[in-house]
Amino acid sequence: GAEKRDKQYRAHQGFGDHHGGVTGVHTYFYADEAKCDQHMETFLRCIDASSGSSEDGFSAIKLTALARPQFLVRFSEVLVKWQRFFHQMATEQGQAGRAVLDTKLEVEKLQEALANLGIASKAESQQWFTGENLGTSGTVDLLDWNSLFDSRTKLSKPLLISNRKTGQLEPLLSRFHEEEELQMKRVLQRMDVLAKRAMEKGVRLMVDAEQSYFQPAISRLTVETQRRFNRSQPIIYNTYQCYLKEAYNNVTRDMELSRREGWHFGTKLVRGAYMEQERERAAQMGYEDPINPTYEKTNEMYHRCLDYVLEEIKHSQKASMMVASHNEDTVKFTLRRMMELGIHPSDKKVCFGQLLGMCDQITFPLGQAGFPVYKYVPYGPVNEVLPYLSRRAQENRGFMQRVNRERDLLWKEVKRRLLTGNLFS
């Protein structure tokens, strides 16, 4: 039930340190707001470094470096509850099981339901929609519903929903304290500073995805920044983790919002790096595992999301994507679909990314064929970077098989050069 699902978005003492069980990514410790400002300065230097080293570069940031993790958990909780309330009402209107964007509430029935529950009178709820210019078609979908909850202006307004077990109205989330209001303001300000610097330097900013219990907040904050800075070109890229069961719904929802509002949809598709911790947390706290059950299901999800974005690129030209993958089959799938859809490498709407030092047999042929391809370069003190790289090697399934393949390819090239007398060419 809802109570069980909501556990995913609650703080838990055993997982207060969100670094435990994470093998494939760098994570940040929150000390205070001053430390977040220091991280922002580091990210600004990363943007400058990207600008100075290549054209059309990327720089990656993590929001847990810019905000208090507990705040992100609480914000995620309220966003998810707000959306679940929408789906709860959709079920009562006989729309259970429909795709996210096909689920539409009839405004009159919605107003009656809100009045019957004591949440808002018909006059009050009518003001909601007229004030936001929503429901003019007689229906409200999830994007309309989400727009009623503006993260910038209405966070502290007490929103009440009905507890179906007790029949009582309960606050969607207890009122945010003044400090939490300030944290929201600060993280948006930091993102604005980074986005402006990226725009000035001609660098695109990738906001990394993190744990699922942070992700609704991270994604919402990223979309807010995209709405401001992606008007004429994709400066801000949101990251979607395809090992999540909700990945396709998340991609389609955000892309539809970009269509309606006319901004450029920028995305990085990854498989995901928090699987062990996510599953341990779900089992310990008693909620459904958010991760796809098998590696094959994750591959299917990745290709489904990828194909959806490619179709959008073909038809609107207002979408751009980084295929961040070490998987040769995924790269081949992308190249085949690009050819079928007539998307040319010179369009620079699709780029590829691999970690520095890994899968060069994928990276270099792509570059030689004219595709935009990037190496993700972690840098810093040796005692931090080397463990990071070793963890990435550990968490990449089939890594040793790829090492053997790279070794075989290198020997093949050495033999070819020896036979042709061009060893050092």
Side-chain angles (χ1 to χ4, degrees), residues 274-420:
Y274 302 92
M275 183 171 67
E276 289 182 16
Q277 189 196 63
E278 291 279 12
R279 286 187 165 156
E280 180 185 350
R281 190 177 190 272
Q284 192 166 324
M285 294 178 64
Y287 60 85
E288 182 184 350
D289 183 356
I291 308 296
N292 285 316
T294 64
Y295 186 71
E296 290 69 30
K297 286 292 183 184
T298 293
N299 286 341
E300 290 175 15
M301 181 67 78
Y302 195 109
H303 291 183
R304 187 184 183 196
C305 293
L306 195 157
D307 203 43
Y308 186 83
V309 180
L310 288 175
E311 290 281 355
E312 182 70 12
I313 292 171
K314 166 68 176 178
H315 293 109
S316 80
Q317 293 294 306
K318 275 199 165 186
S320 299
M321 171 171 56
M322 170 175 275
V323 181
S325 177
H326 297 125
N327 187 297
E328 290 186 28
D329 292 335
T330 292
V331 172
K332 290 176 182 177
F333 175 86
T334 307
L335 299 179
R336 184 175 70 253
R337 290 296 291 139
M338 288 178 67
M339 185 180 298
E340 292 169 356
L341 293 168
I343 301 171
H344 197 270
S346 62
D347 296 338
K348 295 187 176 180
K349 293 292 184 180
V350 180
C351 61
F352 298 84
Q354 289 86 42
L355 188 67
L356 181 67
M358 290 182 64
C359 296
D360 288 348
Q361 81 277 8
I362 294 176
T363 309
F364 292 121
L366 285 171
Q368 290 165 349
F371 290 91
V373 60
Y374 295 83
K375 280 298 194 185
Y376 188 92
V377 186
Y379 65 93
V382 172
N383 64 333
E384 290 185 15
V385 175
L386 285 181
Y388 165 83
L389 290 172
S390 68
R391 289 195 303 270
R392 288 307 298 262
Q394 179 186 8
E395 63 102 16
N396 270 274
R397 180 176 289 204
F399 175 76
M400 290 310 297
Q401 288 87 336
R402 284 199 291 274
V403 170
N404 291 335
R405 176 167 167 71
E406 289 188 38
R407 182 196 62 192
D408 293 341
L409 288 170
L410 287 169
W411 273 114
K412 185 177 180 181
E413 178 63 12
V414 168
K415 291 175 184 176
R416 185 192 69 79
R417 294 189 182 193
L418 283 171
L419 291 172
T420 58

Side-chain angles (χ1 to χ4, degrees), residues 240-284:
Y240 297 90
Q241 300 162 302
C242 294
Y243 70 179
L244 292 177
K245 296 173 183 176
E246 290 296 311
Y248 183 76
N249 287 340
N250 295 337
V251 170
T252 56
R253 179 197 62 216
D254 292 347
M255 184 177 288
E256 177 60 23
L257 182 64
S258 73
R259 291 188 193 115
R260 293 184 189 182
E261 298 183 345
W263 44 269
H264 287 254
F265 182 80
T267 178
K268 179 177 73 167
L269 291 183
V270 301
R271 278 175 169 76
Y274 302 92
M275 183 171 67
E276 289 182 16
Q277 189 196 63
E278 291 279 12
R279 286 187 165 156
E280 180 185 350
R281 190 177 190 272
Q284 192 166 324

Side-chain angles (χ1 to χ4, degrees), residues 74-198:
R74 294 194 71 200
F75 189 25
S76 293
E77 178 190 7
V78 71
L79 291 171
V80 169
K81 281 187 175 180
W82 186 243
Q83 292 178 17
R84 285 184 180 152
F85 187 42
F86 171 88
H87 289 295
Q88 178 181 313
M89 290 187 290
T91 299
E92 293 179 2
Q93 289 192 15
Q95 298 190 54
R98 289 191 183 183
V100 169
L101 295 179
D102 293 334
T103 305
K104 301 179 190 295
L105 300 179
E106 295 181 31
V107 173
E108 288 191 10
K109 290 184 178 179
L110 171 60
Q111 291 175 329
E112 289 176 7
L114 293 173
N116 291 336
L117 292 168
I119 294 172
S121 68
K122 202 162 185 179
E124 288 174 329
S125 61
Q126 196 167 18
Q127 185 61 39
W128 292 4
F129 299 113
T130 55
E132 300 287 344
N133 196 27
L134 301 174
T136 53
S137 64
T139 61
V140 171
D141 66 11
L142 183 60
L143 293 179
D144 297 327
W145 183 251
N146 283 343
S147 70
L148 293 172
F149 186 88
D150 187 331
S151 64
R152 288 179 181 269
T153 60
K154 298 176 184 173
L155 194 61
S156 61
K157 180 180 178 180
L159 294 163
L160 302 177
I161 59 175
S162 174
N163 183 320
R164 295 310 170 101
K165 285 185 177 180
T166 65
Q168 301 296 313
L169 289 178
E170 295 179 352
L172 189 63
L173 186 72
S174 57
R175 186 180 178 88
F176 270 39
H177 300 301
E178 183 178 352
E179 177 58 29
E180 290 168 321
E181 294 274 0
L182 287 173
Q183 286 174 12
M184 167 66 81
K185 183 178 179 181
R186 287 168 185 156
V187 68
L188 286 169
Q189 287 175 337
R190 291 178 187 120
M191 292 183 74
D192 283 356
V193 168
L194 293 171
K196 287 175 182 175
R197 177 69 68 87

